[in-house]
Amino acid sequence: MHRKIVFPRSIRYLLAVAEHKSFTRAADALAVSQPTLSQQIKQLEESLDVQLLDRSGRSVRLTDAGEVYLLHARRALGELHAAQRAIHDLQDLSRGSLRLGMTPITDYLTAPLLDAFNAHYPGISVSTLEMPQHDIECGVAEDRIDVGIAFTNTLSSMAASSKIEAHVLFDEALNLAVGQGHGRAGDRSPFSAATLAEEPLVLLSPDFVLRRYVDMYCRQHGITPHIAMETNSLSVIVEIVRLGRLATILPDTIATAQHGIQSIKLAPSLPNHTITLICRNGGYKSPACVAFGELAVDWCSLRARQQTAAVSTPSQRRTPETALVQR
Amino acid sequence: MHRKIVFPRSIRYLLAVAEHKSFTRAADALAVSQPTLSQQIKQLEESLDVQLLDRSGRSVRLTDAGEVYLLHARRALGELHAAQRAIHDLQDLSRGSLRLGMTPITDYLTAPLLDAFNAHYPGISVSTLEMPQHDIECGVAEDRIDVGIAFTNTLSSMAASSKIEAHVLFDEALNLAVGQGHGRAGDRSPFSAATLAEEPLVLLSPDFVLRRYVDMYCRQHGITPHIAMETNSLSVIVEIVRLGRLATILPDTIATAQHGIQSIKLAPSLPNHTITLICRNGGYKSPACVAFGELAVDWCSLRARQQTAAVSTPSQRRTPETALVQR
DNA sequence: TAGCCCTATAGGCGTTCACTATGCATCGAA
DNA sequence: TTCGATGCATAGTGAACGCCTATAGGGCTA
């Protein structure tokens, strides 16, 4: 492999001759023969149709044209050096960018992951875009986004075409979430489907996947939920629930992460849903993208270990999960 | 001769591929085969140890590294283009510089020449340095100055060594100069050497060549000049003479160019002295230097014509003989 | 003027570049 | 799924270029 930067030989030689003010010494420094320099520089002069060096005197010196040419040549060389450094930075993950697509709910779940990523690679600018799952898949396939985080592992038809690949990060229980002032607060026993039907709920709009999960659950168990309120904003739901009058169904992690909200298991439980990482299959992955994938895996395994540890003492909170990953 | 700019093939190829988003089309545009591009770009990628192009999809696209590399590469290429333009400007004499050395008296004589040069080539910055003749010769030989204008054609020993060459621009009569209020003002008849001895004079200091001419003249004719004042400033002499009490000996051109001063011939006359252009022999001459030499010749021949036309008495002038320096 | 230092030129050799032919993967259509 | 079309990668050969040694020529110094 060349350690040398890609740059015209003739100009490099000219630089050396100008520096040493001598063909012979420059040839020594460059570890080439002196005639080689004469030849190369002559060619450069011919291609520019101008005399760059004045060889008449005792020592070689630059002509006016040589002076001005070298000024620019040095800058050009500097640019290519800068290019190499920039690339190196990119490889080092000390710079770069990551375009991340996620469904509207997953951002609550992966905010700690994003935070950890930024803490590790502060030079990489992350831009997150909320979009439906289908857009995520298309965006990844067409390289409009580098990586996506979606709410389900049931990929659309496009996924089959092996253009994208999906990795399950973790899966998540869907529980009833109530505020501390709610009548069910403090219930230890699981919530039955029948009881759920009587409970006034605040739910996401029907176009959200999570809502569709809930609807499917109710249909399967022959109940009609009492929907007191619908919204397309997760934060509205969280605040309403926190006030204590209405309940909702939320991923366990979101519910327990919020102050003043507690999570109550359902029986029978809703099917777990998965948080999935989506990226291109086979194509080029930027270093930042690779790093994000690796960090995500590490973060999830750490998260799993913490969760197992916490379950043994079932009453309380989970520790904040900032998985640290070494490069 | 190459019309193409000197720049690495591999980078040029990369630019083309990035532009056309296709190896095949880029190869067409570059008039090379497609495998050549594959090969060259692969080598570039290997030398940078990074993937620059993502060939996985339908169309070739740049990776992050390729994007950032191309940004710098374009700038580098732009610099080399700028270099070529700058050199072209230099050849065009729309830019450049000229270092001119002259003895303290010749500046009076060549000021119109300098003015004409600047009028023709306003982009060339001229720096004039006053220095003794010896320094001019050394300066030209050692390339500290591009061209010198001296007061005499008797070159020092250094001139013999063929490192410098001298061209006579014109020669100049040395006459008595008096103010209009001077007792001799209006004299038509030549001034004899004997009369000169009685005349109170203001002269240059003995270290000036002009002064040495005068001293030699006096010695040759056995007279002792009445030196009322000595100075090393030509402008002081001019002003003193203008006041009318003292006379001096000046090149005819200087005397007649000054308002309130008239020139009176001497009989026998002082030997004419020559205004000489000095430049390097054999070595590189900058375009600006060559242009100055050519303009000097033109200017002198024009000057000669004007002078011949002005002076009806044909005894006076001789033609300017200046061999022109070939490139 | 003789000798030394430095650059230019000549001719042979090896690497690199570019070409043709072919292989392999992807994409679109039957 | 299969087939043809498209597009990049690979192999192998010929030409061009870069680099070498040897030598010539020119300027500077003793």
Side-chain angles (χ1 to χ4, degrees), chain A residues 22-25 34-35 38-39 42 55 60:
Chain A
S22 155
F23 279 66
T24 309
R25 282 191 292 279
Q34 169 268 313
S38 293
Q39 206 169 296
K42 183 181 177 181
R55 302 126 160 113
V60 176

Side-chain angles (χ1 to χ4, degrees), chain B residues 235-252:
Chain B
S235 59
V236 168
I237 292 179
V238 168
E239 294 311 315
I240 293 291
V241 169
R242 206 197 308 273
L243 292 176
R245 291 200 315 101
L246 300 181
T248 190
I249 296 197
L250 278 182
D252 185 62

Side-chain angles (χ1 to χ4, degrees), chain A residues 149-204:
Chain A
I149 296 181
F151 198 69
T152 171
N153 57 355
T154 63
L155 293 176
S156 65
S157 60
M158 161 157 289
S161 72
S162 79
K163 286 170 100 174
I164 61 179
E165 56 187 10
H167 303 283
V168 174
L169 291 178
F170 55 88
D171 59 8
E172 186 74 38
L174 294 175
N175 293 343
L176 187 74
V178 299
Q180 281 177 337
H182 192 274
R184 301 294 183 176
D187 275 21
R188 297 289 181 198
S189 53
F191 217 75
S192 72
T195 333
L196 180 64
E198 299 163 5
E199 199 58 44
L201 298 173
V202 50
L203 291 180
L204 280 167

